[in-house]
Amino acid sequence: LGAFGMTATPVRALLMHTNYRYSIKDDSGEKLLTFPYDPKQVIKGKEIEVGIAFRTYRAYENSKEWTAITLPFVFCMSLYGSSIPYVTERMNRWVVGITSLGWCVGNFMYCSGYKSSNEERMPGFKIRTLCARIFMYGSCAGLLCYGGKKLIN
């Protein structure tokens, strides 16, 4: 369930980008930004709107990259996290689930904040980074403990 939510957040960022991009129209109602999206495209008189569209594009790309980086750690932590001493399977599931939810909230805040301004993305970025670190450290500790147990036995 956590992995599904984590992969759904880049889809939401893509929808945010395309909805905003296609809302930029000229006086006759024609869409001004081309398909496929060209980030370097400049439209006179709509510089602010084009800038926001570019930020939503960057938020989508960054969200997609972070998802690809983080998901392997999520899977490793969910599989091997209970190998850590004093961590039960149930406890590991709860930690992975709550951290996945936190990652989704952070990614949502990041994309929404990035649409507003570059500075407003930072709270979501910090939450998402903290959750990614938990996954990374948890999966590394779980793999080390699992490997250590297999070596001893």
Side-chain angles (χ1 to χ4, degrees):
L1 189 59
F4 175 77
M6 291 176 70
T7 53
T9 56
V11 173
R12 191 226 169 254
L14 174 64
L15 292 174
M16 182 179 67
H17 167 65
T18 54
N19 288 340
Y20 190 81
R21 182 179 80 189
Y22 290 136
S23 71
I24 302 172
K25 299 179 180 178
D26 62 9
D27 296 332
S28 63
E30 292 291 320
K31 296 174 186 166
L32 292 175
L33 294 175
T34 60
F35 179 81
Y37 178 65
D38 180 12
K40 298 176 189 95
Q41 189 175 5
V42 177
I43 298 171
K44 300 287 183 193
K46 299 278 187 179
E47 290 86 5
I48 293 172
E49 290 88 351
V50 171
I52 293 171
F54 181 63
R55 285 199 307 268
T56 60
Y57 171 73
R58 288 177 51 184
Y60 162 64
E61 289 294 323
N62 192 277
S63 175
K64 189 171 62 169
E65 292 164 2
W66 271 77
T67 303
I69 291 168
T70 308
L71 273 178
F73 292 117
V74 174
F75 294 136
C76 284
M77 186 171 169
S78 65
L79 291 173
Y80 299 107
S82 59
S83 299
I84 300 170
Y86 307 109
V87 176
T88 64
E89 185 66 39
R90 182 177 178 172
M91 187 186 310
N92 185 51
R93 281 194 303 252
W94 275 99
V95 169
V96 170
I98 291 170
T99 308
S100 297
L101 179 64
W103 193 94
C104 292
V105 168
N107 202 35
F108 178 81
M109 289 173 57
Y110 174 82
C111 293
S112 299
Y114 208 166
K115 181 180 178 183
S116 301
S117 73
N118 290 343
E119 294 78 30
E120 288 188 37
R121 67 185 170 156
M122 291 312 292
F125 178 78
K126 289 177 181 177
I127 293 170
R128 185 177 68 181
T129 302
L130 175 66
C131 293
R133 286 181 180 173
I134 291 169
F135 287 133
M136 184 181 67
Y137 297 143
S139 64
C140 289
L143 284 169
L144 284 172
C145 292
Y146 181 80
K149 287 178 183 177
K150 289 295 179 182
L151 251 154
I152 292 172
N153 294 334

